Amino acid sequence: MKPIIYRLSISQPTWRKTQSLACSHLVDTQKAQARAHKLGTSAAQPDIIVSHSESTSFSDALQLFDKASDLTVVSATAIIGRFAQQHRHEEAMRLFSRMLASNIRPNESTFGTVTHSSTVLGDLYIGKQIHACATKIGLQSNVYVGSALLDLYAKLSTIEEARRVFEDTRQRNVVSYTALIGGYLKKKRIEDAFHLFREMPERNVVSWNVMIGGCSQTGYNEEAVNLFVEMLGEGLLPNHSTFPCAISAAANIAALGMGKSFHACAVKFLGKLDAFVGNSLISFYAKCGNMEDSLLVFNKLSERDIVSWNAVICGYAQNGRGEEAISFFERMQVEGCKPNSVTLLGLLWACNHAGLVDEGYSYFTRARLEDPSKLKPEHYACIVDLLSRSGRFRQAEEFLCDLPFNPGIGFWKALLGGCQIHSNMELGQFAARKILALDPEDVSSYVMLSNAHSAAGRWQSVSTIRREMKEKGMKRIPGSSWIEIGSKVHVFLTGDSSHHQKDEIYMALRFCVEHLREVKASNLHEES
């Protein structure tokens, strides 16, 4: 069989780096090859591979392919795998090309390794060539090769191509199913992911983690929480990767009771909590408004990283406790943890929510002078929001004019939000026009402007805006709320009447409204 030769482009700096490593390891390889002549090539083959496995020289590896005439597929794959394990995927692909040129027939392990490398490199073209080569050899239906190809197409191409590879794979295993489920979740095809998950012949902790994490990351938090509970019900032990996904989902729906149960499970099953699980718990308690328990988890962590500190600062910010966020930031610096861009964003956010305008602007100015690399567009947008919320519109406009880049929708929405608070109609309409010029289908700008006119009592303008929205077929995204009762989360949408206890709920609400009316009438009577 005539081998297929792959062409990979390697940047000059990468090539020079690999060449410079050659001298330091060449002597070991030459010694191993010298022993090969004394002991016989086949006997010395393991010595050569061992010598290379201790080396990081790409030049040495090329010499092995060029000079070791009986290099086997096992030894060649081991060399390629060594570079892939070191995240040197471009070099692994070049060695694969040399392997084919040396008429060494790849096996399923080889294809699995190089397919993964092409996925990491994000090179679909090379991946398709590998697929073609595997098909020519007849290994495309191998479950190991098929799973790697499935992962490639799911991440770099269409889910339809991934599905075709899945269907072509013989004796599909949990890896194949999990890879396709991950692809469905990435494309937000939740129903397809659930359908495939339910029909899996067997499920392991990885497949459960993929489903729980995928649902949490795509906004299906109730489903993620329910999956975690179901997983425990089936007697499968969660691991360090399971808990952060489940806890994050509970945080997103503010299910405090459920999250506390997850915390207890983590302590029971894992014992000592690592930073990954601990950080998710810090964020969970903060999102549920319980900063005391959030800080308690932080203080109990044996190993804290920058994420731990940021989680507390952002928690204080979310709960409008700006002074405490600033105090915690100062403690962070005293203890020698260097802040990053996320820290600064959390600090600005905290100042914003607490109305600490001068403090927030001061921190931003300091960062711009001392370490401008920390500043991202979101930091600038936060300052626009900070100034707009406090009614400093002239300063906000000047800040926008001095930006080192063109402001996006988020900046104009921040300005529009401030105009809504302070009923600044003229500037609000200007900001709305900017938003609609960037995104004509943006519904929120119409809603915010309508609310601003409504607050100012300009009902004719409100009517005009609503009519324009209706003519364009725009619909407001319904508001949502939820409440946790007995560790079960109940979700409600605006105008939603699908809850199975809706009659009792509306009856209770009517009773509350009537009671409030009676109390108000009684108070008015007493005052008169």
Side-chain angles (χ1 to χ4, degrees), residues 298-299 304 309 328-338:
F298 175 86
N299 290 331
R304 302 170 191 148
W309 290 92
F328 197 78
F329 173 70
E330 299 298 338
R331 173 186 166 186
M332 172 184 178
Q333 292 184 305
V334 169
E335 295 195 19
C337 186
K338 188 176 180 180

Side-chain angles (χ1 to χ4, degrees), residues 1-6 93 96-97 99-101 103-108 110-112 114-115 124-141 145 149 152-153:
M1 179 184 303
K2 185 178 179 181
I4 301 173
I5 306 299
Y6 299 87
M93 297 305 299
F96 178 62
S97 179
M99 175 183 180
L100 295 173
N103 289 317
I104 301 173
R105 182 189 178 97
N107 61 15
E108 61 272 18
T110 318
F111 281 115
V114 294
T115 302
L124 180 62
Y125 176 70
I126 293 297
K128 287 188 173 184
Q129 289 188 74
I130 293 170
H131 189 178
C133 185
T135 301
K136 188 171 183 179
I137 293 176
L139 289 175
Q140 81 283 1
S141 298
V145 179
L149 288 169
L152 170 91
Y153 287 118

Side-chain angles (χ1 to χ4, degrees), residues 53 118 205 314 327 347 480:
S53 68
S118 64
V205 66
C314 292
S327 176
L347 194 61
S480 62

Side-chain angles (χ1 to χ4, degrees), residues 238-241 243-244 263-279 281 297 299-304:
N239 59 21
H240 284 273
S241 298
F243 282 102
H263 186 176
C265 286
V267 173
K268 179 180 179 180
F269 294 132
L270 304 179
K272 183 180 178 181
L273 303 182
D274 62 10
F276 197 35
V277 178
N279 293 340
L281 284 168
V297 174
N299 290 331
K300 283 186 175 181
L301 277 182
S302 57
E303 295 181 10
R304 302 170 191 148

Side-chain angles (χ1 to χ4, degrees), residues 22-89:
C23 295
S24 62
H25 298 283
L26 185 58
V27 174
D28 291 336
T29 304
Q30 288 175 336
K31 288 179 180 178
Q33 290 175 339
R35 285 201 303 272
H37 290 293
K38 292 180 180 180
L39 302 176
T41 308
S42 60
Q45 186 74 44
D47 287 341
I48 295 175
I49 301 306
V50 170
S51 173
H52 176 72
S53 68
E54 296 171 352
S55 166
T56 58
S57 170
F58 181 64
S59 178
D60 291 355
L62 287 176
Q63 286 193 34
L64 284 173
F65 279 91
D66 290 340
K67 295 182 179 180
S69 58
D70 65 342
L71 198 65
T72 66
V73 62
V74 175
S75 54
T77 300
I79 295 171
I80 293 170
R82 178 69 177 177
F83 281 90
Q85 289 168 4
Q86 295 172 348
H87 308 290
R88 297 165 64 178
H89 298 288

Side-chain angles (χ1 to χ4, degrees), residues 77 96 156 189 215 307 430 434 462 499-500 505 510:
T77 300
F96 178 62
L156 304 182
R189 292 172 56 168
C215 287
V307 179
F430 172 75
K434 287 287 187 181
V462 172
H499 195 278
H500 67 283
I505 292 170
R510 282 193 293 270

